[in-house]
Amino acid sequence: MSVAPEFTERLQTQAHQLVGNPTAVKNNLQEMDPYDFEEFVADLWAEKGYDTEVEGGGGQDGGIDVRARRRGPGGKTVAIQVKRYSDPISSTEVQQYASLREQTGADDVVIVNTNGFTKPARNLAPDLDITLINGKELVPLIDRNAGLGFYATYREELGIERADLETAVTNHVSITSRCRIALAGFVG
């Protein structure tokens, strides 16, 4: 059974190499339509194992943009505020978004902003038990969680060349076939 992890690790390494430069990715995400960016974040949380629903309208709604609930019994609900502001989010805004926990009944609050957060906002967030994610921090989050379908859907935004994605898909098919053969040998 030790064959499958080797193939899985190889596939993950290849997938991680697909995403382009974090700065370029951040810039691409900044250019997305607000609603499309909300969908992007919802799809990323789905890749993390959540059922998601986009609730925002891409405007200055001041409310929850994405609701995510961890799949399985006892799954936590996360209220996600999604922004593509040209400036960092301030501590005043972080404090405002902290109320989302009570307003929505969420267990956790996450704020995603392509252009980050001021230092006072970063200092305040732990006190309010809020997770802050800037545009560059999204890249490792994508690396750890995204599957090939996510990469294919957001290829351009992630700076992935079509040929690189096609190679990854081909290798995935090859690895999946090898895993099936290896498992068949174990099962008999």
Side-chain angles (χ1 to χ4, degrees):
M1 203 63 138
S2 64
V3 177
E6 174 187 313
F7 293 130
T8 302
E9 183 179 323
R10 180 174 156 212
L11 177 62
Q12 286 174 334
T13 300
Q14 290 171 347
H16 295 224
Q17 294 169 347
L18 286 176
V19 178
N21 174 310
T23 301
V25 171
K26 181 193 89 74
N27 292 339
N28 290 346
L29 296 176
Q30 179 67 31
E31 297 299 319
M32 286 179 82
D33 172 79
Y35 182 76
D36 290 343
F37 187 53
E38 290 173 2
E39 288 286 340
F40 175 90
V41 171
D43 289 348
L44 179 56
W45 254 255
E47 293 286 310
K48 291 178 55 154
Y50 289 81
D51 291 322
T52 62
E53 182 179 346
V54 175
E55 296 189 7
Q60 299 281 342
D61 52 56
I64 185 174
D65 292 321
V66 177
R67 180 183 305 273
R69 180 160 178 80
R70 173 74 73 183
R71 292 183 197 115
K76 288 186 170 188
T77 301
V78 182
I80 307 171
Q81 191 66 28
V82 181
K83 298 298 173 203
R84 300 169 24 270
Y85 290 163
S86 56
D87 294 319
I89 288 180
S90 70
S91 59
T92 303
E93 291 166 293
V94 168
Q95 197 164 17
Q96 173 191 350
Y97 294 137
S99 67
L100 288 175
R101 183 176 282 110
E102 289 182 28
Q103 291 173 11
T104 64
D107 299 300
D108 296 317
V109 174
V110 175
I111 305 171
V112 177
N113 183 35
T114 52
N115 278 318
F117 306 88
T118 63
K119 186 173 182 175
R122 285 249 178 228
N123 292 338
L124 178 62
D127 295 340
L128 300 175
D129 196 25
I130 294 177
T131 302
L132 305 179
I133 301 172
N134 68 32
K136 288 183 182 179
E137 292 166 337
L138 280 172
V139 172
L141 195 60
I142 293 165
D143 280 345
R144 286 192 308 271
N145 297 285
L148 288 174
F150 183 88
Y151 288 120
T153 301
Y154 296 105
R155 182 183 66 76
E156 290 180 18
E157 291 84 354
L158 297 173
I160 300 171
E161 298 294 328
R162 181 179 299 279
D164 292 339
L165 184 60
E166 289 171 356
T167 299
V169 169
T170 300
N171 288 339
H172 175 69
V173 170
S174 172
I175 290 168
T176 302
S177 298
R178 287 188 216 170
C179 286
R180 285 189 187 129
I181 291 168
L183 289 173
F186 285 112
V187 175

